[in-house]
Amino acid sequence: MLNQERQASRFSQRLFYVTAIILISVLILAAGFDWQISQFFGNMNDPIATTFQDIGLWTSPLVVMLACNIVAHAGVRASNWPWYVRAIAVVGSTLFAGYELWSGYLKYAMMMVLTSVKDIQAGKPMGMANSDGGSLALPGALSISLFILLYVAVCGVAQYWLARKSDDDLQHLVRVALVAALVVLLADTVINTMKTTWGRFRPYELLAGDPTKYTPWFHINGADGHMSFPSGHTETAALSLLFPLFVDRKNARLQRLVFWLAHGYGIAMAISRVRILAHFTGDVTTSLVIVWSVILLVTTVANLPLVNWVALPQRKSSKSTQAASPAAE
């Protein structure tokens, strides 16, 4: 067992070092070639990048909604809590989950999709829609219907999932919910503060305006209304790395699958943001560095590893032992 823990620890360290080296190398490259990369790689008519931009921000709101459902379910089940604490947990979490769905995702996604459609009809690039100061009147019936459908679907599935958990599992998930919510809050605060402070122009703004206003990612312009650095879309996608925490701790294979899918989704979103000329390479790479660092720090301090890497070699060794036992007999 000790040997398996050492193997898991070495794998985690190698994963960290490889990821850190790649991200730092990309940041160094972006410091000198951000503008050239955008000119070579950018295309505001890319349908895949437009899809990521318009409806790809579901990950962070889903994390918050899962956390809210866990707290609400714990409030219903925890008979040892005072009634008023249980009431606050249930009512507050239910309301906040709805707020996060509407304000954190649905309102933005509908605005972006409708704006993209209008831009295509007007002969403009489909990916030029932007949330910086943007507003669009939404059809009331459509927005309410979508909200109710998504809210009932997410909360219904979450409550069905939680109802099958033991009290010990639920207690663990409450810790996960609090840690995940803290990570989202910290990452969002840091990214939004830097966006306002840095004042970096977006690539498409420079291509359509004055290219001389380009500044490298490490240059702070001050609050000027431009918010390219760091990337908010990439931040939200990178927060999907919290999803493995919600997977059953005994299911190491599913933890590993969710981890790599989340890892890939964050990278895919980062690439799409550069492709659609909404961000420079330095913008998206910095978001990955910040979010993944916050996740690593908070989960380590809280003693909540994203993946139970120890169980993987343990399962393999047990299988090999079972296969060898008939031969030994």
Side-chain angles (χ1 to χ4, degrees):
M1 183 63 181
L2 182 59
N3 184 49
Q4 292 164 351
E5 291 179 354
R6 288 174 178 172
Q7 291 178 6
S9 178
R10 284 197 294 267
F11 177 80
S12 300
Q13 291 179 9
R14 286 197 297 267
L15 178 61
F16 169 79
Y17 291 138
V18 170
T19 303
I21 290 172
I22 292 174
L23 292 176
I24 292 173
S25 299
V26 173
L27 272 179
I28 294 173
L29 178 67
F33 299 99
D34 246 352
W35 180 245
Q36 291 85 346
I37 293 173
S38 291
Q39 287 182 304
F40 173 79
F41 185 64
N43 180 4
M44 295 189 74
N45 274 310
D46 188 311
I48 297 178
T50 301
T51 301
F52 269 91
Q53 174 171 265
D54 290 356
I55 62 174
L57 290 178
W58 57 273
T59 49
S60 177
L62 182 56
V63 168
V64 175
M65 290 187 72
L66 286 175
C68 288
N69 273 273
I70 291 169
V71 173
H73 192 88
V76 171
R77 196 190 293 189
S79 57
N80 59 322
W81 293 5
W83 71 266
Y84 46 86
V85 174
R86 298 174 67 186
I88 293 173
V90 174
V91 176
S93 297
T94 301
L95 292 176
F96 193 75
Y99 171 80
E100 184 65 21
L101 173 61
W102 171 250
S103 181
Y105 178 69
L106 188 57
K107 182 179 179 180
Y108 172 88
M110 290 185 67
M111 182 191 74
M112 295 296 286
V113 169
L114 293 176
T115 302
S116 293
V117 171
K118 293 181 68 174
D119 287 341
I120 294 172
Q121 293 173 345
K124 300 177 181 179
M126 66 174 67
M128 70 179 298
N130 195 292
S131 61
D132 296 349
S135 61
L136 186 65
L138 302 176
L142 177 60
S143 59
I144 293 174
S145 299
L146 282 175
F147 172 81
I148 294 175
L149 178 63
L150 290 174
Y151 186 82
V152 171
V154 172
C155 293
V157 171
Q159 291 303 316
Y160 175 79
W161 164 61
L162 290 167
R164 302 165 68 86
K165 297 294 182 181
S166 66
D167 289 342
D168 289 340
D169 289 338
L170 184 60
Q171 186 176 4
H172 168 77
L173 285 172
V174 169
R175 287 182 60 212
V176 168
L178 296 177
V179 167
L182 177 61
V183 169
V184 172
L185 175 63
L186 289 175
D188 200 51
T189 300
V190 172
I191 295 294
N192 287 329
T193 300
M194 292 178 67
K195 270 181 169 292
T196 303
T197 304
W198 244 257
R200 194 183 194 193
F201 282 75
R202 296 180 184 272
Y204 76 85
E205 292 176 322
L206 296 172
L207 289 172
D210 185 3
T212 62
K213 294 182 179 180
Y214 166 80
T215 53
W217 62 263
F218 52 82
H219 184 275
I220 303 176
N221 298 317
D224 57 8
H226 300 278
M227 296 185 287
S228 182
F229 180 89
S231 167
H233 272 71
T234 306
E235 170 218 341
T236 300
L239 285 169
S240 64
L241 203 64
L242 290 167
F243 285 137
L245 288 176
F246 296 92
V247 178
D248 189 343
R249 291 293 90 185
K250 299 176 183 177
N251 196 339
R253 290 186 180 275
L254 184 57
Q255 292 170 31
R256 180 173 57 175
L257 175 61
V258 173
F259 175 87
W260 289 118
L261 287 175
H263 198 79
Y265 188 73
I267 295 172
M269 176 64 82
I271 294 173
S272 75
R273 302 306 285 156
V274 177
R275 173 67 169 170
I276 209 168
L277 292 171
H279 288 283
F280 291 102
T281 305
D283 303 337
V284 300
T285 307
T286 300
S287 284
L288 292 177
V289 170
I290 291 172
V291 175
W292 288 347
S293 295
V294 172
I295 292 175
L296 176 64
L297 173 63
V298 176
T299 55
T300 300
V301 171
N303 194 25
L304 285 174
L306 293 174
V307 176
N308 183 11
W309 299 110
V310 177
L312 300 176
Q314 183 178 7
R315 180 174 294 182
K316 291 179 180 179
S317 64
S318 63
K319 285 185 177 181
S320 62
T321 303
Q322 291 175 2
S325 58
E329 293 175 359

